Amino acid sequence: MTRRTVRIAMNGVTGRMGYRQHLVRSLLAIREEGGLDLGDGDVLWPEPVLVGRRESALRAIAERHGLTDWSTDLDAVLTARGEAAVDVYFDAQITSARPAAVARAIAAGKHVYTEKPTATGLASALELARLADAAGIRHGVVQDKIFLPGLLKLKRLIDGGFFGEILSVRGEFGYWVFEGDWQDAQRPSWNYRAEDGGGIALDMFPHWSYVLRELFGKVTTVMAHTATHVPRRWDEHGTPYAATADDAAYAVLQLESGAVAQINSSWAVRVMRDELVEFQVDGVQGSALAGLRRCRVQHRSATPKPVWNPDLPATEPFREQWQEVPDNAEFGNGFRAQWELFLRHVALGGPYRWDLLEGARGVQLAELALRSSAEGRRLDVPELTP
């Protein structure tokens, strides 16, 4: 057995997502199981190099997990030679800092894997894709939702023809993010400042872009309304600030197939759902309700016959009339699943479709949603090409 080491500069691992999902549950989990089996006796061993602004936080993470390489100097990491050289640059920073850092990594000849959105605007996102292609590096963008159990089951239903003609998709996402005055907010304050790249449209529409495209086909038009429902919040130091970014977005999206998607995204909604995000898909032959883990169905042959009567209380147990879709497989962590695919792409080559151009499509949809809201009209979504 031959062990091949891939050194990965991980920028932003002091944040919740970068640390928990990408470092601990993905790369360190791969290491705990002996590395990534590439076949033919080869094993890929990921070696994280932690990068960030806070020296004390990086040192603490490194010591906690027995890692030796960390730095507050990104340029030094990217330009290191010999055994200290890194092969891959990963970015989980604040969005506004991402484009410049990714561009520096591309210029240094490093393969790039990054969180989304890849930039705060389409022009910048497209430029990164073009730079990466011109440099001949391998590049990918995190698209974690399609690797989660609920949506994998939904994809299984679609591929199996369960729905017949799909008529509509309705997505509900969100939860109440505390304002920060009497309880600490669950999200960092920059999320609510437009000047720092915040806003739920920019945060979530890149997700909806790849979920819809992967499962149902590309989006052709968007009509959206965004709002800042909570205009005053308190930051991590207890200081009040004006929320300048949208905390809710309501969208109607036309799909190329003719189906219509309606997706509500809000950080100012209290949850009355089984999961924080759910998608209901209605087709001629059946319907499904998928969350991040569960998926339930109601086939045409088992659809009850509700009758509208406002004079009497509802007696039908509507939730009980749906059938659970079995797992029929073991589902691992969605972030790790995509990490493994990207690392195989780095090591072995071959096609990889979740690249920086796909990331740019997500930024495009967010940008068009914000513009649609500002102009009060429906907008076409042009197809992006390399």
Side-chain angles (χ1 to χ4, degrees):
M1 181 174 291
T2 303
R3 191 169 91 168
R4 298 164 54 180
T5 298
V6 56
R7 287 174 57 81
I8 306 167
M10 303 191 72
N11 196 354
V13 291
T14 57
R16 175 180 56 89
M17 190 71 72
Y19 172 72
R20 178 65 181 162
Q21 297 297 343
H22 291 288
L23 179 63
V24 175
R25 301 204 64 197
S26 295
L27 296 188
L28 295 186
I30 292 171
R31 286 160 59 100
E32 288 170 4
E33 295 182 10
L36 179 61
D37 187 356
L38 297 176
D40 296 328
D42 286 348
V43 171
L44 195 65
W45 181 258
E47 188 67 58
V49 179
L50 310 184
V51 182
R53 294 174 299 167
R54 295 182 292 147
E55 180 177 331
S56 59
L58 293 171
R59 182 186 294 110
I61 292 172
E63 291 175 353
R64 186 181 311 146
H65 296 287
L67 302 174
T68 58
D69 292 340
W70 55 270
S71 177
T72 58
D73 189 340
L74 175 60
D75 287 328
V77 171
L78 293 176
T79 57
R81 296 291 181 265
E83 293 184 356
V86 298
D87 306 287
V88 176
Y89 171 74
F90 170 70
D91 194 296
Q93 297 184 94
I94 181 174
T95 304
S96 58
R98 184 165 298 138
V102 170
R104 284 150 67 189
I106 293 170
K110 309 304 177 184
H111 304 303
V112 168
Y113 187 54
T114 179
E115 266 290 355
K116 32 107 283 308
T118 55
T120 58
L122 177 58
S124 181
L126 276 175
E127 179 64 15
L128 291 178
R130 290 167 181 150
L131 287 172
D133 284 344
I137 65 160
R138 292 169 184 163
H139 48 97
V141 177
V142 178
Q143 314 225 309
D144 55 288
K145 299 292 184 289
I146 56 176
F147 295 94
L148 294 171
L151 294 190
L152 288 173
K153 295 175 193 177
L154 181 58
K155 181 70 162 57
R156 185 197 304 163
L157 293 171
I158 295 170
D159 292 345
F162 171 81
F163 298 99
E165 180 188 357
I166 292 177
L167 307 174
S168 65
V169 181
R170 187 171 71 251
E172 291 285 344
F173 164 80
Y175 50 95
W176 190 272
V177 176
F178 293 123
E179 297 90 327
D181 51 350
W182 65 287
Q183 290 196 60
D184 291 341
Q186 309 97 298
R187 299 186 66 87
S189 59
W190 71 264
N191 282 177
Y192 303 92
R193 292 190 292 266
E195 59 272 24
D196 291 333
I200 199 166
L202 186 58
D203 188 76
M204 295 309 302
F205 274 68
H207 282 297
W208 310 148
S209 174
Y210 70 74
V211 166
L212 293 172
R213 191 179 186 93
E214 188 80 14
L215 297 179
F216 309 104
K218 68 180 182 180
V219 179
T220 57
T221 70
V222 56
M223 178 70 184
H225 176 77
T226 63
T228 305
H229 290 312
V230 181
R232 181 177 169 86
R233 293 181 177 272
W234 283 257
D235 66 16
E236 293 78 2
H237 307 290
T239 303
Y241 67 95
T244 55
D246 50 289
D247 58 18
Y250 312 94
V252 177
L253 307 142
Q254 183 73 50
L255 306 182
E256 188 177 38
S257 65
V260 176
Q262 307 166 67
I263 301 184
N264 295 332
S265 313
S266 178
W267 289 321
V269 62
R270 293 178 176 88
V271 181
M272 185 56 174
R273 283 171 258 116
D274 292 333
E275 300 191 61
L276 294 185
V277 62
E278 289 183 340
F279 296 92
Q280 179 163 333
V281 182
D282 291 301
V284 173
Q285 299 296 329
S287 298
L289 182 66
L292 298 183
R293 302 203 64 83
R294 299 182 66 189
C295 184
R296 286 158 285 178
V297 294
Q298 188 173 93
H299 190 261
R300 178 186 184 187
S301 61
T303 301
K305 186 179 180 180
V307 176
W308 170 255
N309 188 344
D311 298 320
L312 294 175
T315 58
E316 290 193 68
F318 293 113
R319 287 180 179 268
E320 297 175 15
Q321 294 167 349
W322 292 66
Q323 179 184 0
E324 193 82 25
V325 176
D327 288 350
N328 289 349
E330 289 188 16
F331 299 107
N333 178 274
F335 289 89
R336 174 177 171 174
Q338 194 180 358
W339 261 109
E340 291 183 352
L341 289 172
F342 182 72
L343 290 177
R344 290 182 190 279
H345 175 58
V346 167
L348 304 175
Y352 187 85
R353 68 179 180 272
W354 302 295
D355 58 7
L356 283 167
L357 181 62
E358 190 64 25
R361 290 191 178 101
V363 177
Q364 176 194 42
L365 189 62
E367 191 172 274
L368 286 171
L370 290 167
R371 187 176 141 206
S372 170
S373 180
E375 298 178 4
R377 63 190 183 98
R378 184 171 64 181
L379 299 174
D380 291 332
V381 181
E383 181 59 39
L384 298 182
T385 56

